[in-house]
Amino acid sequence: MTDAPDPKPARADRWRQARTRAFDRSRRTGLRAGTWLAQRWQQTVALLRGMEPSRAYAPPPAVPGRVTQRRDAEIAVPAKGYIYVFVIRVSFSWSAEGLRPELLSWYAQHLQPLAVAQLTRLAADLARSTAPQHAGELEVKLQRAIGEADWNFPRAEGTVTGRPDAWVRLDERVQQALLPYSERRVTLESEYELHLLRAHSAQQLAQRWSTILREYADTAAEVGPQTQEGLVDAARRMLGLQKIAGQWIEDLLAERPRTDNWFDQPPPDARRSPDLPRQPGPQSAANEAPADGDPSTQA
């Protein structure tokens, strides 16, 4: 009886052949992939060698000499009596030498609370002795104190300066209380300027008429009777106007308040401050000449 062949060698040969075929397939695939990558690399190198650069390399910008930034703030300090307050608007100017803008902005953000606290101490020391309605006086004092103070903050990269500019405003309650008095003051100052302008105009006109009368006085004998009558009438009118001006000044002095508080007095009566009448010339003097130069007849 013939023995059956052993199946194990046949199975081992098949596995060995399969491994050989798989190795050959992977080797061929790797060779093809390497060849393709080498070709692509050569093409890329050739393309890059034939291209001109789009722009030259730009060096980083140089650090500017002195950088400046501004930051605003607002503080309130009590006035004299600690009832009202002064509102102070502040604009800090932060600057440094040779510092990048972003670094200066970082320093300004962290150092501004220190600068605000320093300014608040200065303003509070000056405001506690200043009346609540004297905002202008406090602003002048505060600007002087700011100029004398030190606003430099040394740091590792350099000295950072944060100088403030301050403007002082009144408390809203003080503004409401002072509003009627301020309106009355504006009215009084406007009336004073108007009276002063009228008096100045009257003075110039009187000087002009005096010059004319002096010129005609030397030749009074040579002129006709009508001209002489006009000159006499003009002289009478000047005397009448002087009396009116004197009475006008007396009325103004009588209306002056007897106390230091001008706002407690009623407004002056317009009838007691008549306007200065227009002075006529020699031509109209002959038709409107008064008999005795009484100011009551000067219409």
Side-chain angles (χ1 to χ4, degrees):
M1 185 174 180
T2 306
D3 295 336
D6 189 3
K8 292 182 180 181
R11 187 180 302 112
D13 292 339
R14 287 195 300 270
W15 278 106
R16 186 167 46 255
Q17 294 175 2
R19 286 195 304 270
T20 302
R21 288 193 299 268
F23 176 77
D24 294 339
R25 191 183 303 111
S26 61
R27 184 172 60 84
R28 288 193 300 268
T29 303
L31 291 175
R32 286 195 300 267
T35 303
W36 181 84
L37 290 175
Q39 293 175 356
R40 294 295 179 269
W41 176 253
Q42 294 176 359
Q43 294 175 0
T44 303
V45 171
L47 182 62
L48 292 176
R49 288 178 177 176
M51 291 178 59
E52 293 292 336
S54 59
R55 60 184 180 89
Y57 171 74
V63 179
R66 191 167 189 86
V67 186
T68 303
Q69 294 184 2
R70 301 191 70 88
R71 291 176 178 267
D72 297 333
E74 186 173 287
I75 60 177
V77 293
K80 183 178 180 180
Y82 289 84
I83 298 177
Y84 301 103
V85 298
F86 289 110
V87 181
I88 303 176
R89 181 72 177 176
V90 191
S91 179
F92 287 93
S93 178
W94 293 97
S95 61
E97 190 74 27
L99 204 63
R100 296 193 306 274
E102 59 273 12
L103 187 57
L104 177 63
S105 178
W106 185 86
Y107 275 130
Q109 180 179 358
H110 288 78
L111 293 177
Q112 181 150 335
L114 299 178
V116 169
Q118 181 177 349
L119 180 64
T120 304
R121 289 193 297 269
L122 289 177
D125 293 340
L126 298 173
R128 66 169 54 98
S129 60
T130 306
Q133 69 273 17
H134 295 166
E137 178 183 349
L138 175 62
E139 183 171 324
V140 172
K141 294 180 180 178
L142 185 58
Q143 291 289 356
R144 188 183 301 112
I146 289 175
E148 297 174 355
D150 184 15
W151 303 97
N152 296 322
F153 300 90
R155 289 297 179 268
E157 291 80 3
T159 300
V160 181
T161 304
R163 179 182 176 84
D165 293 326
W167 299 269
V168 182
R169 292 189 291 113
L170 290 175
D171 194 326
E172 294 183 359
R173 297 169 295 175
V174 178
Q175 293 181 1
Q176 295 297 327
L178 293 179
L179 184 59
Y181 299 99
S182 299
E183 293 176 350
R184 180 60 184 152
R185 181 176 180 178
V186 171
T187 303
L188 291 176
E189 291 180 354
S190 301
E191 292 177 355
Y192 169 76
E193 293 178 358
L194 179 60
H195 292 326
L196 190 62
L197 180 60
R198 288 174 176 173
H200 185 64
S201 300
Q203 182 183 7
Q204 290 180 344
L205 189 58
Q207 292 177 355
R208 190 176 299 117
W209 273 107
S210 299
T211 304
I212 295 174
L213 291 176
R214 283 195 301 269
E215 291 177 356
Y216 276 96
D218 298 337
T219 59
E222 302 177 1
V223 298
Q226 185 176 0
T227 305
Q228 291 182 1
E229 184 180 355
L231 294 175
V232 173
D233 180 71
R236 290 177 179 176
R237 279 190 173 274
M238 288 184 61
L239 293 176
L241 290 175
Q242 290 179 359
K243 293 180 180 180
I244 292 176
Q247 184 63 37
W248 175 59
I249 294 175
E250 291 180 0
D251 292 342
L252 289 179
L253 293 176
E255 291 166 359
R256 186 182 63 181
R258 300 304 179 185
T259 62
D260 294 336
N261 190 354
W262 285 73
F263 305 103
D264 292 339
Q265 304 297 328
D269 189 359
R271 293 175 298 178
R272 300 192 62 186
S273 298
D275 295 337
L276 287 176
R278 181 176 58 86
Q279 296 184 1
Q283 292 79 6
S284 61
N287 300 328
E288 301 178 2
D292 55 355
D294 187 0
S296 62
T297 61
Q298 309 298 322

